[in-house]
């Protein structure tokens, strides 16, 4: 029997709906434009009877509630516009992990084949944080190929780094996820109704599709949401150290005496990378995006916990 829903459960759903609405309609909700023609080079104002000039980034004020970046773009507008790119990137990487880990885990758990290999690889990968595995090769490529100057970097280098980034982030999560799925598959595979199906001639495919997957439907949902958050958190860690997957432009150059790499779309991970470099000079940037990222993560965690609380003891959604 499904537990009676609490107000916390409905609140968690409301938060997820709000996140999805912002992701879908954020482009139209942003209060200021972020197109090239919306850049602000200088603002003129009067003070003590004298004309003075101010250049971006501007601190939070009545016009720009969360301040601006070095181009004069409103940080709030960037956040509203960029959420969909962050969620989309995380979703794609999570799906790639599941596409590989799900059939492998189901097959290994049902047949018992390659269980030892999977268990050993899971132990190796899980022995240290994923960030420790990923940062050295990705940082070496990113800065070695001068991809911090993304717009000026060689197109082949961009493709090479993007492919390596996707492969490594996917690879590092496949073994723990496949091992988790295989363990739950082994648990259900020992049940009498699965054994009865096998004795009646049910193939591995039949037992998996008709019995195991329906029994594990809830658990797979929880695994997917948990994996989504793990990927999101890992991407956030890499972003703090300026490792991001494109979507940036560079303003200034060596001749001008400065060079600033900044997101073109407001994608949150690129904003984290940009804001972390100016945490002392312009702290409102990293505070705004960091708080937004934390609220997003906590909302997802709250939703997952409420989902487990309501459906955790059920074999399938009713």
């Amino acid at each position: 029997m499904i537990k009676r829903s609490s107000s916390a459960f409905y609140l968690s759903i409301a938060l997820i709906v709000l996140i999805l609405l912002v992701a879908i309609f954020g482009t139209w909700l942003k209060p200021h434009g972020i197109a090239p023609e919306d850049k602000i080079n200088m603002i003129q104002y009067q003070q003590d009877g004298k004309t003075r000039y101010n250049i971006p980034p501007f601190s939070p004020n009545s016009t720009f509630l969360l301040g601006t970046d070095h181009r004069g773009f409103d940080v709030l507008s960037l956040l509203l516009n960029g959420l969909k790119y962050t969620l989309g990137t995380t979703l794609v990487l999570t799906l790639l992990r599941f596409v590989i880990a799900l059939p492998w885990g189901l097959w290994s758990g049902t047949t018992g084949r390659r269980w030892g290999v999977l268990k050993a690889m899971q132990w190796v990968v899980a022995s240290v944080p994923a960030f420790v595995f990923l940062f050295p090769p990705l940082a070496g490529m990113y800065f070695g190929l001068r991809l911090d100057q993304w717009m000026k970097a060689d197109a082949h280098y961009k493709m090479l780094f993007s492919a390596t980034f996707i492969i490594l982030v996917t690879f590092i999560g496949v073994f723990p996820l496949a091992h988790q799925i295989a363990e739950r598959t082994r648990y259900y595979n020992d049940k009498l109704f699965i054994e009865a199906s096998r004795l009646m001639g049910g193939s591995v495919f039949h037992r998996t599709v008709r019995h195991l997957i329906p029994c594990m439907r809830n658990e797979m949902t929880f695994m997917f949401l948990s994996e989504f958050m793990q990927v999101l958190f890992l991407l956030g860690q890499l972003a703090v150290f300026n490792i991001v997957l494109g979507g940036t432009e560079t303003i200034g150059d060596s001749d001008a005496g400065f060079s600033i790499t900044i997101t073109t779309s407001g994608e949150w991970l690129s904003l984290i990378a940009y804001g972390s470099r100016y945490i002392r000079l312009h702290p409102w940037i990293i505070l705004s995006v960091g708080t937004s990222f934390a609220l997003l993560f906590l909302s997802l965690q709250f939703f997952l916990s409420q989902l487990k609380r309501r459906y955790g003891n059920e074999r399938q959604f009713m």
Side-chain angles (χ1 to χ4, degrees), residues 96-98 100-102 104-105 108 114-127 133 167-183 227 230:
L96 286 175
R97 287 184 175 188
F98 254 80
I100 301 172
L102 182 59
W104 187 5
S108 180
R114 301 292 186 272
W115 168 250
V117 175
L118 181 59
K119 188 175 182 179
M121 291 302 299
Q122 185 272 340
W123 183 87
V124 171
V125 172
S127 60
F133 279 110
I167 290 172
L168 289 180
V169 173
T170 302
F171 174 82
I172 203 67
V174 165
F175 297 109
L177 181 58
H179 180 265
Q180 186 179 5
I181 294 173
E183 278 195 325
E227 199 69 21
Q230 289 183 38

Side-chain angles (χ1 to χ4, degrees), residues 28-83:
W28 296 277
L29 293 174
K30 61 181 187 293
H32 301 278
I34 56 173
E37 59 270 17
D38 297 311
K39 291 182 179 180
I40 301 175
N41 295 319
M42 187 180 300
I43 288 181
Q44 177 180 321
Y45 65 98
Q46 298 291 323
Q47 185 179 15
D48 299 329
K50 297 181 179 179
T51 300
R52 300 184 182 276
Y53 299 91
N54 194 12
I55 60 174
F58 306 122
S59 60
N61 54 61
S62 58
T63 303
F64 305 109
L65 297 180
L66 299 181
T68 75
D69 62 11
H70 282 81
R71 299 163 300 186
F73 287 171
D74 177 40
V75 172
L76 176 59
S77 299
L78 289 169
L79 289 170
L80 291 172
N81 187 73
L83 176 58

Side-chain angles (χ1 to χ4, degrees), residues 124-253:
V124 171
V125 172
S127 60
V128 296
F131 177 81
V132 176
F133 279 110
L134 296 179
F135 181 73
L138 291 179
M141 287 188 65
Y142 190 79
F143 296 106
L145 300 177
R146 299 302 299 165
L147 296 179
D148 50 330
Q149 306 285 335
W150 186 264
M151 297 298 290
K152 300 179 181 179
D154 186 277
H156 295 90
Y157 290 162
K158 293 180 182 179
M159 291 182 61
L160 176 62
F161 174 78
S162 298
T164 304
F165 186 99
I166 293 171
I167 290 172
L168 289 180
V169 173
T170 302
F171 174 82
I172 203 67
V174 165
F175 297 109
L177 181 58
H179 180 265
Q180 186 179 5
I181 294 173
E183 278 195 325
R184 297 308 298 163
T185 303
R186 284 161 62 91
Y187 169 78
Y188 285 108
N189 202 46
D190 292 335
K191 298 295 183 181
L192 289 178
F193 66 93
I194 299 293
E195 181 65 16
S197 177
R198 186 185 68 80
L199 293 175
M200 293 176 66
S203 63
V204 172
F205 180 80
H206 173 83
R207 299 198 304 271
T208 300
V209 174
R210 296 299 300 271
H211 301 294
L212 290 174
I213 291 180
C215 287
M216 297 173 60
R217 191 179 304 170
N218 276 16
E219 293 177 78
M220 287 182 183
T221 302
F222 303 151
M223 289 181 195
F224 185 86
L225 289 174
S226 179
E227 199 69 21
F228 183 91
M229 288 187 290
Q230 289 183 38
V231 173
L232 181 65
F233 187 70
L234 177 59
L235 295 179
Q237 289 178 299
L238 292 171
V240 171
F241 291 89
N242 300 320
I243 309 298
V244 293
L245 196 60
T248 59
E249 65 173 335
T250 302
I251 58 177
D253 51 39

